[in-house]
């Protein structure tokens, strides 16, 4: 007979073995459930795939039908385009042929015109050759005239030099210079006074300047009556009046040209001086008035 302790141990071992078997069975049962759920899911996915395949096949059939219809339409359109292109090509060829004929006609007309112009140009060249020959003859004659004029000018210069030398000798030999003759002053004296006053010599000093120069340079030559200050002032007034008349004629003669009016002024020793100048289009400056 076994003892009670040993019996209890065996019972416990048997119980543990049974529990282990039950655990394995439970684990296997859970695995089976999981596998069954997976199988059901796979079956569902397969069914869905079958449905999708059916839909895809239907769509492919519809696409094939549409493609066949479009191919038929494209073939019809291609035939229409070919017909239209052939018609356009014919029309363009006809238009080009018409243009070619027109250009041929215009080219023939232009050729005739060019021939006429060439004939006219040849005639003009001949006329110009004749004119050139005549111009060359005129140039030769003008050269001869110029050479003769040059010789005459040289002779005149020689005679003028001789006359000037004679007059200088007569002037040096004479004892008195005549400045007033026939109730008026000689032109040389007038020109001398004009030059002196143009060089800013005062009207009162012109007589003394002329006498000083003649006494210092000419020696014993005596001067007669010379103009006074009043004569110089009247010459300035007359020259100013003539200058103003010339300015008016210059301003009125160039019709349509631009004229610029300029003013200028300065102050010296308490006196104010001003001028009004007119500048013409060619750059010449004319003084209207000074004060």
């Amino acid at each position: 007979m076994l003892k009670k302790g040993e019996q209890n141990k065996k019972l416990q071992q048997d119980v543990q073995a049974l529990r282990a078997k039950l655990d394995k069975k439970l684990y296997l049962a859970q695995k089976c459930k999981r596998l069954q759920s997976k199988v059901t899911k796979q079956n569902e996915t397969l069914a869905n795939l079958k449905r999708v395949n059916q839909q895809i096949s239907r769509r492919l059939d519809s696409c094939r039908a549409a493609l066949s219809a479009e191919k038929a339409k494209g073939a019809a359109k291609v035939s229409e385009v070919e017909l239209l292109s052939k018609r356009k090509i014919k029309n363009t060829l006809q238009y080009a042929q018409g243009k070619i004929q027109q250009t041929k006609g215009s080219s023939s007309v232009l050729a005739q015109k060019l021939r006429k112009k060439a004939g006219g140009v040849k005639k003009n060249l001949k006329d110009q050759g004749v004119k050139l020959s005549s111009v060359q003859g005129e140039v030769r004659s003008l050269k001869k005239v110029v050479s003769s004029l040059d010789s005459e000018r040289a002779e005149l210069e020689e005679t003028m030099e001789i006359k000037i030398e004679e007059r200088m000798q007569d002037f040096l030999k004479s004892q008195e210079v005549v400045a007033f003759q026939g109730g008026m002053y000689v032109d040389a004296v007038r020109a001398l006074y004009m030059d002196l006053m143009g060089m800013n010599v005062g009207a009162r000093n012109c007589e003394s300047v002329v006498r000083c120069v003649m006494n210092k340079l000419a020696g014993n030559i005596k001067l007669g009556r010379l103009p006074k200050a009043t004569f110089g002032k009247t010459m300035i007034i007359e020259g100013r009046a003539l200058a103003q008349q010339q300015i008016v004629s210059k301003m009125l003669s160039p019709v349509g040209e631009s004229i610029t009016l300029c003013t200028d002024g300065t102050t010296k020793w308490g006196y104010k001086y001003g001028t009004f100048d007119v500048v013409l289009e060619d750059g010449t400056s004319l003084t209207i008035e000074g004060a």
Side-chain angles (χ1 to χ4, degrees):
M1 294 294 290
L2 295 171
K3 293 180 179 180
K4 289 181 179 181
E6 292 177 355
Q7 289 178 358
N8 289 326
K9 286 181 181 179
K10 285 181 180 181
L11 288 170
Q12 288 178 357
Q13 289 176 356
D14 293 333
V15 169
Q16 288 178 355
L18 289 170
R19 283 180 180 175
K21 288 179 181 180
L22 288 171
D23 291 331
K24 285 181 180 180
K25 286 180 180 180
L26 288 170
Y27 179 72
L28 292 171
Q30 289 177 357
K31 271 189 175 183
C32 288
K33 286 181 181 180
R34 289 174 185 172
L35 290 170
Q36 285 178 358
S37 64
K38 286 182 180 180
V39 168
T40 53
K41 286 180 181 180
Q42 287 178 358
N43 290 325
E44 289 177 357
T45 53
L46 286 171
N48 291 324
L49 288 171
K50 286 180 181 179
R51 290 175 186 174
V52 170
N53 287 324
Q54 289 176 359
Q55 290 177 358
I56 289 167
S57 63
R58 289 173 185 172
R59 287 181 182 177
L60 286 171
D61 293 333
S62 62
C63 289
R64 286 172 184 171
L67 284 171
S68 62
E70 286 181 357
K71 283 181 180 179
K73 288 180 181 179
K77 286 182 179 180
V78 167
S79 61
E80 289 179 358
V81 169
E82 287 178 353
L83 290 171
L84 290 171
S85 62
K86 287 179 180 179
R87 289 176 184 174
K88 286 182 179 179
I89 289 165
K90 286 181 180 178
N91 292 325
T92 51
L93 286 171
Q94 290 176 359
Y95 180 74
Q97 287 176 358
K99 285 286 184 182
I100 288 165
Q101 290 177 357
Q102 289 179 359
T103 51
K104 284 181 179 178
S106 61
S107 63
S108 62
V109 173
L110 288 171
Q112 291 177 359
K113 288 182 179 179
L114 288 171
R115 287 172 185 172
K116 289 180 181 179
K117 286 183 179 179
V121 169
K122 287 180 180 179
K123 290 180 181 179
N124 290 325
L125 288 172
K126 289 180 181 178
D127 296 334
Q128 287 178 0
V130 174
K131 288 180 181 179
L132 283 172
S133 61
S134 63
V135 168
Q136 287 176 356
E138 290 178 358
V139 168
R140 290 171 186 172
S141 62
L142 288 171
K143 284 181 179 179
K144 291 179 181 179
V145 172
V146 168
S147 62
S148 63
L149 289 172
D150 288 334
S151 61
E152 289 178 0
R153 183 175 60 81
E155 291 176 357
L156 288 171
E157 286 178 353
E158 290 178 358
T159 54
M160 286 294 292
E161 288 178 357
I162 293 166
K163 288 181 179 180
I164 289 166
E165 288 179 358
E166 290 177 354
R167 288 183 67 182
M168 286 294 293
Q169 289 177 2
D170 293 336
F171 177 74
L172 293 172
K173 289 178 182 179
S174 63
Q175 297 295 323
E176 187 177 358
V177 176
V178 178
F180 188 81
Q181 189 177 7
M184 60 184 296
Y185 290 102
V186 183
D187 293 336
V189 175
R190 289 174 175 271
L192 178 60
Y193 267 60
M194 191 180 293
D195 291 335
L196 289 172
M197 285 186 289
M199 291 184 286
N200 294 326
V201 177
R204 294 179 181 178
N205 298 324
C206 286
E207 182 182 1
S208 60
V209 169
V210 173
R211 290 185 184 279
C212 179
V213 170
M214 292 299 293
N215 289 326
K216 296 293 183 182
L217 295 178
N220 296 323
I221 296 173
K222 295 180 181 180
L223 284 172
R225 180 180 174 183
L226 287 175
K228 303 296 181 182
T230 307
F231 179 81
K233 292 177 182 179
T234 53
M235 282 184 71
I236 290 171
I237 293 167
E238 289 175 356
R240 182 181 178 186
L242 288 172
Q244 288 176 353
Q245 290 179 1
Q246 289 176 358
I247 288 168
V248 171
S249 64
K250 284 281 187 181
M251 290 174 67
L252 294 176
S253 59
V255 179
E257 293 184 0
S258 61
I259 298 171
T260 306
L261 178 65
C262 304
T263 58
D264 191 11
T266 185
T267 303
K268 187 175 181 181
W269 303 108
Y271 294 98
K272 293 182 179 180
Y273 303 92
T275 57
F276 298 92
D277 299 332
V278 173
V279 181
L280 301 178
E281 191 172 2
D282 58 354
T284 57
S285 180
L286 305 172
T287 302
I288 295 175
E289 186 177 359

